[in-house]
Amino acid sequence: MSFKTKKSLGQHFLKDDNVIFKILQSVDAEDGDRVIEIGPGTGALTKWMAKSISDLHVIELDKRAVEVLENEIENITIHQNDVLKVDWNNIVDPNKKNVVVGNLPYYITSPILFDLLENRKLFSEATLMMQKEVAERLVADPSSKQYGILSVQTQLFCSPEILFDVSRSSFSPPPKVTSSVIKLRFDKPSYPFSDASIKRVVRTAFNQRRKKLSNSLKPVLGDKLPEGFNFDDRADHWSPDIYAKLAEHLEQSDSLS
């Protein structure tokens, strides 16, 4: 059936079979695992996954796309909802390996990523398509132009790897930018500090990224700078593990005070 995409939902549907099969080969899931697809649209990827995955859940907001999925693909569970409003605990199966797949709408890519990172203990991995520029930020090295909040939090909470790029012509309608498929492996150990602590430190540091950390981190540290850190550096010079050490130090100091 003909389907008019909605710009308001950031819809760019994948139409390139070569890319679809490359994504399928990249997903580390087998029958018996639960696969959760974000934004399946009219099912370009879904219909192929449904052939080999019997426990396939999809999250789709557009009622028209849901109708297409219901009519054309059997044996899938559809959640008609905004992905940023779902309770992941109601979608995952705690007794199975839970794998996420998705072609993320560009305008809400970062919020979706932060949400997946926050709920990382529920998933084994995520294979996601997004703007190339955002994917490069996830894997960026310290002191690079792309390195920022998303880089630090992503690299602390998972192992990100860009798999391949996807040209604009692979979509209908074609977006204005090149895309990348990236895999996030949620294989990091638990840390001795809360997510809230590391978020506060990292976001405060990068809020004034051109200033020395002795100045930008004042809202967190005050005038008392702990030893063992170079606060003459700028935010983008610190690696994720240094931010982790500072968050751990602050939590220990708070618990002792």
Side-chain angles (χ1 to χ4, degrees):
M1 63 178 283
S2 62
F3 192 99
K4 186 172 173 59
T5 55
K6 282 187 177 179
K7 194 173 181 182
S8 63
L9 295 177
Q11 290 175 331
H12 297 279
F13 293 153
L14 197 53
K15 64 176 186 178
D16 187 328
D17 285 344
N18 289 325
V19 173
I20 289 168
F21 288 117
K22 280 180 80 172
I23 294 172
L24 289 169
Q25 290 169 349
S26 304
V27 177
D28 184 14
E30 52 191 39
D31 200 20
D33 299 335
R34 174 162 295 185
V35 176
I36 304 160
E37 185 182 7
I38 297 171
T42 52
L45 189 62
T46 322
K47 66 183 179 185
W48 293 105
M49 289 197 293
K51 292 178 185 294
S52 59
I53 301 293
S54 59
D55 190 1
L56 178 57
H57 287 239
V58 301
I59 303 166
E60 176 56 59
L61 180 61
D62 190 337
K63 185 180 179 183
R64 302 168 308 147
V66 168
E67 288 176 1
V68 175
L69 294 169
E70 287 174 337
N71 291 330
E72 298 190 3
I73 306 175
E74 295 181 349
N75 302 322
I76 62 170
T77 303
I78 302 171
H79 304 265
Q80 188 184 341
N81 204 345
D82 180 341
V83 66
L84 294 175
K85 294 178 180 175
V86 300
D87 182 345
W88 289 108
N89 288 289
N90 293 335
I91 296 181
V92 300
D93 184 332
N95 299 312
K96 290 186 177 184
K97 178 177 159 184
N98 293 275
V99 174
V100 177
V101 182
N103 174 15
L104 305 186
Y106 293 159
Y107 74 107
I108 53 169
T109 295
S110 291
I112 293 173
L113 286 169
F114 283 126
D115 192 38
L116 290 174
L117 293 173
E118 194 170 312
N119 290 281
R120 62 194 178 278
K121 290 182 173 63
L122 301 175
F123 315 114
S124 63
E125 66 164 54
T127 302
L128 307 170
M129 183 142 52
M130 63 187 68
Q131 235 172 304
K132 182 178 181 179
E133 179 190 340
V134 178
E136 288 176 338
R137 282 164 55 198
L138 301 190
V139 301
D141 292 323
S143 300
S144 66
K145 187 179 176 184
Q146 295 95 338
Y147 188 72
I149 294 171
L150 204 50
S151 319
V152 176
Q153 289 186 209
T154 301
Q155 292 169 35
L156 281 176
F157 293 153
C158 70
S159 300
E161 178 191 2
I162 294 178
L163 302 180
F164 53 88
D165 293 340
V166 182
S167 70
R168 291 177 281 183
S169 61
S170 297
F171 299 89
S172 177
K176 294 178 180 177
V177 295
T178 301
S179 301
S180 294
V181 172
I182 188 166
K183 185 184 286 282
L184 309 179
R185 294 180 179 88
F186 299 107
D187 54 3
K188 298 286 186 175
S190 296
Y191 290 107
F193 51 80
S194 67
D195 284 12
S197 289
I198 190 67
K199 285 180 186 175
R200 184 171 174 238
V201 169
V202 174
R203 291 182 184 196
T204 304
F206 279 95
N207 195 34
Q208 300 179 51
R209 65 182 292 152
R210 298 196 177 280
K211 288 192 173 184
K212 288 182 179 180
L213 286 161
S214 54
N215 289 319
S216 61
L217 283 173
K218 266 193 176 179
V220 173
L221 300 174
D223 294 318
K224 197 173 178 182
L225 302 180
E227 293 181 2
F229 300 90
N230 183 2
F231 291 103
D232 286 333
D233 271 343
R234 295 189 318 197
D236 59 351
H237 288 183
W238 275 18
S239 62
D241 64 298
I242 298 176
Y243 282 106
K245 286 174 186 171
L246 182 59
E248 181 179 358
H249 172 85
L250 292 172
E251 284 218 348
Q252 287 175 346
S253 300
D254 288 345
S255 64
L256 292 173
S257 59

Short mmCIF file of all heavy atoms in Angstrom, two decimals, residues 91-112:
data_model
loop_
_atom_site.label_atom_id
_atom_site.label_comp_id
_atom_site.label_asym_id
_atom_site.label_seq_id
_atom_site.Cartn_x
_atom_site.Cartn_y
_atom_site.Cartn_z
N ILE A 91 8.42 -4.40 28.68
CA ILE A 91 8.66 -4.90 27.32
C ILE A 91 9.72 -6.00 27.29
O ILE A 91 9.62 -6.94 26.51
CB ILE A 91 9.05 -3.73 26.39
CG1 ILE A 91 7.86 -2.76 26.28
CG2 ILE A 91 9.44 -4.23 25.00
CD1 ILE A 91 8.10 -1.58 25.38
N VAL A 92 10.72 -5.89 28.15
CA VAL A 92 11.76 -6.93 28.16
C VAL A 92 11.23 -8.19 28.86
O VAL A 92 10.25 -8.16 29.60
CB VAL A 92 13.04 -6.46 28.88
CG1 VAL A 92 13.62 -5.24 28.19
CG2 VAL A 92 12.79 -6.17 30.36
N ASP A 93 11.91 -9.30 28.60
CA ASP A 93 11.66 -10.54 29.32
C ASP A 93 12.87 -10.79 30.20
O ASP A 93 13.97 -11.05 29.70
CB ASP A 93 11.48 -11.71 28.34
CG ASP A 93 11.11 -13.02 29.04
OD1 ASP A 93 11.50 -13.19 30.22
OD2 ASP A 93 10.46 -13.87 28.42
N PRO A 94 12.72 -10.69 31.53
CA PRO A 94 13.88 -10.82 32.43
C PRO A 94 14.56 -12.18 32.38
O PRO A 94 15.68 -12.34 32.85
CB PRO A 94 13.28 -10.54 33.82
CG PRO A 94 11.82 -10.83 33.67
CD PRO A 94 11.46 -10.48 32.27
N ASN A 95 13.87 -13.15 31.80
CA ASN A 95 14.44 -14.50 31.73
C ASN A 95 15.11 -14.78 30.39
O ASN A 95 15.53 -15.91 30.13
CB ASN A 95 13.34 -15.54 31.97
CG ASN A 95 12.72 -15.39 33.34
OD1 ASN A 95 13.42 -15.28 34.35
ND2 ASN A 95 11.39 -15.34 33.40
N LYS A 96 15.18 -13.76 29.53
CA LYS A 96 15.78 -13.94 28.21
C LYS A 96 16.84 -12.88 27.95
O LYS A 96 16.94 -11.89 28.66
CB LYS A 96 14.69 -13.81 27.12
CG LYS A 96 13.69 -14.94 27.07
CD LYS A 96 12.77 -14.76 25.86
CE LYS A 96 11.79 -15.93 25.72
NZ LYS A 96 10.97 -15.79 24.50
N LYS A 97 17.61 -13.14 26.89
CA LYS A 97 18.50 -12.12 26.37
C LYS A 97 17.64 -11.14 25.57
O LYS A 97 16.87 -11.55 24.70
CB LYS A 97 19.53 -12.79 25.46
CG LYS A 97 20.52 -11.86 24.78
CD LYS A 97 21.51 -12.71 23.99
CE LYS A 97 22.19 -11.92 22.91
NZ LYS A 97 23.07 -12.76 22.09
N ASN A 98 17.75 -9.85 25.89
CA ASN A 98 16.94 -8.81 25.23
C ASN A 98 17.83 -7.95 24.35
O ASN A 98 18.80 -7.35 24.83
CB ASN A 98 16.24 -7.95 26.28
CG ASN A 98 15.20 -8.73 27.06
OD1 ASN A 98 14.07 -8.87 26.63
ND2 ASN A 98 15.60 -9.26 28.22
N VAL A 99 17.49 -7.90 23.07
CA VAL A 99 18.30 -7.21 22.07
C VAL A 99 17.46 -6.11 21.42
O VAL A 99 16.30 -6.34 21.06
CB VAL A 99 18.77 -8.22 20.99
CG1 VAL A 99 19.49 -7.50 19.86
CG2 VAL A 99 19.66 -9.29 21.61
N VAL A 100 18.04 -4.92 21.29
CA VAL A 100 17.33 -3.78 20.69
C VAL A 100 17.86 -3.52 19.28
O VAL A 100 19.07 -3.61 19.03
CB VAL A 100 17.51 -2.50 21.56
CG1 VAL A 100 16.83 -1.30 20.89
CG2 VAL A 100 16.94 -2.72 22.95
N VAL A 101 16.95 -3.22 18.37
CA VAL A 101 17.28 -2.85 17.00
C VAL A 101 16.46 -1.61 16.66
O VAL A 101 15.31 -1.50 17.11
CB VAL A 101 16.92 -3.98 16.00
CG1 VAL A 101 17.33 -3.59 14.59
CG2 VAL A 101 17.57 -5.30 16.40
N GLY A 102 17.02 -0.69 15.88
CA GLY A 102 16.18 0.46 15.55
C GLY A 102 16.79 1.41 14.54
O GLY A 102 18.01 1.61 14.51
N ASN A 103 15.93 1.98 13.71
CA ASN A 103 16.27 3.09 12.83
C ASN A 103 15.71 4.33 13.53
O ASN A 103 14.52 4.61 13.47
CB ASN A 103 15.62 2.88 11.45
CG ASN A 103 15.79 4.07 10.53
OD1 ASN A 103 16.61 4.95 10.78
ND2 ASN A 103 15.01 4.10 9.46
N LEU A 104 16.57 5.04 14.26
CA LEU A 104 16.10 6.08 15.17
C LEU A 104 15.72 7.36 14.44
O LEU A 104 16.48 7.82 13.57
CB LEU A 104 17.18 6.40 16.21
CG LEU A 104 17.72 5.22 17.04
CD1 LEU A 104 18.67 5.74 18.12
CD2 LEU A 104 16.60 4.40 17.66
N PRO A 105 14.57 7.96 14.79
CA PRO A 105 14.24 9.27 14.22
C PRO A 105 15.30 10.28 14.63
O PRO A 105 15.66 10.37 15.81
CB PRO A 105 12.89 9.60 14.88
CG PRO A 105 12.35 8.30 15.38
CD PRO A 105 13.54 7.47 15.72
N TYR A 106 15.83 11.04 13.67
CA TYR A 106 16.96 11.91 13.96
C TYR A 106 16.67 12.93 15.05
O TYR A 106 17.55 13.26 15.84
CB TYR A 106 17.38 12.64 12.67
CG TYR A 106 17.96 11.74 11.61
CD1 TYR A 106 17.99 12.13 10.27
CD2 TYR A 106 18.49 10.50 11.93
CE1 TYR A 106 18.53 11.31 9.29
CE2 TYR A 106 19.02 9.67 10.96
CZ TYR A 106 19.04 10.07 9.64
OH TYR A 106 19.57 9.26 8.69
N TYR A 107 15.43 13.41 15.10
CA TYR A 107 15.15 14.52 16.02
C TYR A 107 15.06 14.08 17.49
O TYR A 107 15.07 14.92 18.38
CB TYR A 107 13.87 15.26 15.59
CG TYR A 107 12.57 14.53 15.86
CD1 TYR A 107 11.72 14.93 16.88
CD2 TYR A 107 12.20 13.43 15.08
CE1 TYR A 107 10.52 14.26 17.12
CE2 TYR A 107 11.02 12.76 15.32
CZ TYR A 107 10.19 13.17 16.33
OH TYR A 107 9.01 12.50 16.57
N ILE A 108 15.00 12.77 17.74
CA ILE A 108 14.98 12.30 19.13
C ILE A 108 16.05 11.24 19.39
O ILE A 108 15.94 10.47 20.34
CB ILE A 108 13.59 11.76 19.56
CG1 ILE A 108 13.08 10.69 18.58
CG2 ILE A 108 12.59 12.88 19.74
CD1 ILE A 108 11.85 9.95 19.09
N THR A 109 17.10 11.23 18.56
CA THR A 109 18.14 10.22 18.73
C THR A 109 18.80 10.30 20.10
O THR A 109 18.94 9.29 20.80
CB THR A 109 19.22 10.37 17.63
OG1 THR A 109 18.62 10.11 16.36
CG2 THR A 109 20.35 9.40 17.84
N SER A 110 19.23 11.50 20.52
CA SER A 110 19.94 11.63 21.80
C SER A 110 19.07 11.21 22.98
O SER A 110 19.54 10.45 23.85
CB SER A 110 20.47 13.05 21.99
OG SER A 110 21.51 13.30 21.07
N PRO A 111 17.81 11.67 23.08
CA PRO A 111 16.98 11.22 24.19
C PRO A 111 16.80 9.69 24.23
O PRO A 111 16.80 9.09 25.31
CB PRO A 111 15.64 11.92 23.96
CG PRO A 111 15.96 13.11 23.14
CD PRO A 111 17.13 12.73 22.29
N ILE A 112 16.66 9.07 23.06
CA ILE A 112 16.53 7.60 23.02
C ILE A 112 17.81 6.95 23.53
O ILE A 112 17.78 6.00 24.32
CB ILE A 112 16.21 7.11 21.59
CG1 ILE A 112 14.81 7.57 21.15
CG2 ILE A 112 16.28 5.58 21.53
CD1 ILE A 112 14.48 7.26 19.70
#
